[in-house]
Amino acid sequence: MKRSAAGLAIAVGLSLATAAVAAASDWRTSAGGTVNGLAVIDTGGGPEQRPGADASLHIDSASAHLAARLELRGRIGGSFVGGSGAGVYGFDDTFQNQSPALEFPEAWLEARSARVEVRAGLQRLAWGKLDGLPPTDVLNPRDYHDPLVADFEDRKIGTPALSATWYPGVVPIPGLHDVKLSLVWLPFAVPSRLALARERWFSHSIEPPTHLRLSKRVLDRFGLCPTFCQSPQAIAPIAIETANNTPPRQLDEGGVALRLAGTWRETDWDLYHYTGPETAPVVALQPELYLPAGMRPPGASPRLSIGAVSRLVQERRRIHMTGADLATTVGGFTLRAELAWFVDRPYLRVASDLLTDSALRRIDRHVPTTLARRGRAAVDLGELFPTHDTIEWGVGADYLWNGWLPLLQINQIAFLDDPHERLLVDAPETRLTGSLKKKFFDERIEFELRTAFGIARGWWFVMPRIGYRVRDDLRVRIGYLAIGGPRASYLGQFAANDEVTFQVQYSY
């Protein structure tokens, strides 16, 4: 609670400072925002999602040498289920689902000179040039309560950061211009936000099975025979819980990032490096076995005589990323390419693999003793997110033809070591993504189609949408989201979440 209050104090302080700047008479100030509504009709048998709304307000101010930005967002309803009521999103916890809720996506102050810009506060930083989730875009965590319908950039969580950018001006290399060097310091880790177990977009790949089957060999290893060995196996129900584990607020838990960017002739390019906390979701699986109060006599049915609790606990990891990207135009095509080399990046296993009979037989021998003495014992089954060294790369192209804008992109995750575990992604994992956009009738009607396909595992999603701009400040949109593939795959785990979507947006 103290850490959340400290994070809130930072945001409030920056907000007041930004408001004071905006009130100054010699500043140019603008304000605006949006009000968005979303309702879904489930067509796949997935968990319920209530209608939801969010409203944002941003204030931008600038003078000759200073600038400031404040953005506030309020949310209510939607995919949040069983939350703690009204609240303010903090920087500490992975499992947050307050509703209604307030958050501060951005709140920063910036000092400018001819060659240097220094910015401090809550920032959303954009790295990479590919569509969707660029491999190098690792500085900001994201909110995963609605990962497909919500805009990718809107799901970014503002992170406390101090950034500085240097513009050297003219460089003595023919064709090279607009060079800049940026350094970012992230003082502490900010986790991504994940859906809870009862919510529509809870990741089923990290969800263990509902029952744990304990064979006679496992029961004997636990010292529970002959009491529970009257049948070939005992069945223990598994309760699923989620728990936060706030990362420490110390300097060695923060991160640093470096970016060198420029343009050579007609090609934009960037070089990146990041060392710091992983901003993608990472949790640990911490199962625990327990006995009821009093053991049943010999001969009684073993069903439900042993219980299990599986806790998904927020975890922190550190990664290293070195990457590059470029974008250029060739004959009317816009071409993009991006590459990132990761060291010690965590990748998700399929949780059910950690609870097989063979895995339980490898449990440490102190577990049976603890179980018999205390009636419950924690079980170490290994990492849910093992780390690997990988190369993530992608190339994409789009072309404007008679008002139609098609985009095609291929991404791949290539492992530099041999993953012995069954991961949620394949080795290698190759994905095709695409989109198609077109505006009609004086740009009043907009058609959009987004799709992706995982080649190895066979997962896919398709989302066509049609929008109508009633007025310049009011847009309505209807669409359909269809998802398919095996449960043990990147998007196939959400195959039950097919839905019709209704969206409305008012801008001011």
Side-chain angles (χ1 to χ4, degrees):
M1 181 64 70
K2 292 181 179 179
R3 293 189 178 100
S4 296
L8 178 59
I10 294 174
V12 172
L14 289 167
S15 302
L16 293 175
T18 309
V21 167
S25 60
D26 59 337
W27 285 64
R28 300 181 304 276
T29 302
S30 62
T34 60
V35 178
N36 301 281
L38 172 65
V40 304
I41 299 176
D42 174 66
T43 61
E48 177 187 5
Q49 178 169 323
R50 297 174 298 166
D54 68 80
S56 64
L57 168 67
H58 60 82
I59 302 172
D60 295 283
S61 295
S63 68
H65 300 291
L66 295 173
R69 179 177 176 87
L70 168 66
E71 182 178 351
L72 299 92
R73 178 184 295 165
R75 297 181 178 181
I76 186 170
S79 63
F80 305 102
V81 177
S84 55
V88 178
Y89 282 122
F91 307 124
D92 298 336
D93 299 332
T94 286
F95 298 105
Q96 301 184 69
N97 66 345
Q98 295 96 328
S99 179
L102 179 67
E103 64 176 320
F104 296 82
E106 289 189 276
W108 48 260
L109 300 173
E110 181 180 85
R112 302 171 176 174
S113 69
R115 295 290 178 85
V116 178
E117 294 177 354
V118 179
R119 180 181 296 179
L122 302 180
Q123 303 180 42
R124 290 190 292 188
L125 302 134
W127 279 13
K129 290 184 169 61
L130 289 179
D131 190 58
L133 298 174
T136 60
D137 196 7
V138 296
L139 296 188
N140 289 95
R142 284 180 166 83
D143 190 310
Y144 289 87
H145 281 88
D146 197 347
L148 293 179
V149 176
D151 183 80
F152 289 114
E153 288 302 307
D154 286 345
R155 293 194 291 107
K156 276 188 177 178
I157 300 169
T159 302
L162 175 64
S163 61
T165 302
W166 173 55
Y167 301 87
V170 178
V171 294
I173 299 177
L176 184 62
H177 55 94
D178 295 334
V179 176
K180 61 181 179 180
L181 178 65
S182 301
L183 178 65
V184 181
W185 175 51
L186 307 167
F188 55 82
V190 176
S192 57
R193 292 199 289 260
L194 297 181
L196 275 69
R198 291 192 294 159
E199 295 175 342
R200 183 171 179 83
W201 293 101
F202 176 71
S203 176
H204 295 291
S205 57
I206 63 176
E207 179 182 14
T210 57
H211 291 80
L212 184 64
R213 299 180 181 275
L214 305 175
S215 68
K216 281 187 177 182
R217 294 181 61 181
V218 173
L219 292 170
D220 185 57
R221 178 176 176 79
F222 284 3
L224 299 176
C225 286
T227 304
F228 293 109
C229 292
Q230 307 302 313
S231 297
Q233 62 182 3
I235 301 177
I238 300 179
I240 302 171
E241 297 179 358
T242 55
N244 291 307
N245 181 22
T246 301
R249 296 297 182 240
Q250 54 194 52
L251 295 183
D252 59 351
E253 292 288 339
V256 293
L258 187 67
R259 175 185 183 182
L260 178 63
T263 301
W264 182 72
R265 296 183 179 176
E266 301 300 323
T267 300
D268 296 329
W269 56 268
D270 298 88
L271 300 175
Y272 307 97
H273 181 77
Y274 170 74
T275 292
E278 170 65 281
T279 53
V282 183
V283 296
L285 182 65
Q286 297 181 357
E288 183 181 61
L289 295 174
Y290 65 88
L291 296 175
M295 297 177 65
R296 298 188 180 188
S301 171
R303 290 183 63 85
L304 307 183
S305 297
I306 302 173
V309 175
S310 185
R311 294 184 182 88
L312 297 168
V313 182
Q314 173 183 340
E315 194 176 25
R316 61 186 181 275
R317 302 286 184 85
R318 292 184 65 80
I319 64 170
H320 308 274
M321 187 281 294
T322 302
D325 64 34
L326 60 87
T328 190
T329 57
V330 177
F333 286 90
T334 300
L335 306 178
R336 305 175 186 86
E338 192 167 336
L339 180 145
W341 169 36
F342 288 94
V343 176
D344 293 334
R345 189 166 213 196
Y347 291 88
L348 176 59
R349 294 183 64 180
V350 179
S352 58
D353 288 356
L354 296 173
L355 296 172
T356 62
D357 193 69
S358 60
L360 293 173
R361 290 201 298 268
R362 294 192 297 269
I363 290 175
D364 191 279
R365 293 185 178 276
H366 78 276
V367 172
T369 304
T370 305
L371 185 64
R373 185 175 69 251
R374 299 181 180 177
R376 57 195 315 121
V379 179
D380 182 7
L381 296 176
E383 291 183 319
L384 182 60
F385 279 82
T387 57
H388 295 280
D389 297 345
T390 58
I391 297 289
E392 297 191 18
W393 63 271
V395 293
D398 63 65
Y399 184 83
L400 184 62
W401 177 76
N402 289 337
W404 293 90
L405 183 62
L407 179 147
L408 183 64
Q409 182 173 298
I410 182 171
N411 289 71
Q412 187 178 77
I413 303 174
F415 287 79
L416 302 180
D417 51 13
D418 183 17
H420 300 291
E421 316 90 352
R422 184 170 65 128
L423 302 175
L424 195 65
V425 298
D426 209 49
E429 169 92 351
T430 305
R431 306 169 181 174
L432 294 175
T433 60
S435 67
L436 182 63
K437 297 180 181 180
K438 168 71 172 175
K439 294 182 179 181
F440 304 90
F441 302 109
D442 196 26
E443 299 189 351
R444 288 290 181 181
I445 295 179
E446 180 181 13
F447 169 79
E448 178 188 20
L449 172 68
R450 289 173 47 209
T451 184
F453 174 63
I455 294 177
R457 298 283 174 89
W459 58 261
W460 56 270
F461 90 90
V462 177
M463 186 170 66
R465 294 190 290 195
I466 295 179
Y468 175 61
R469 192 170 294 279
V470 182
R471 305 183 318 210
D472 289 344
D473 58 358
L474 179 63
R475 183 184 69 180
V476 293
R477 188 159 59 179
I478 182 172
Y480 187 76
L481 173 62
I483 308 174
R487 183 183 178 94
S489 65
Y490 179 65
L491 285 182
Q493 59 182 310
F494 301 115
N497 284 9
D498 292 358
E499 60 189 29
V500 179
T501 64
F502 299 92
Q503 295 172 276
V504 59
Q505 181 182 80
Y506 172 71
S507 303
Y508 60 93

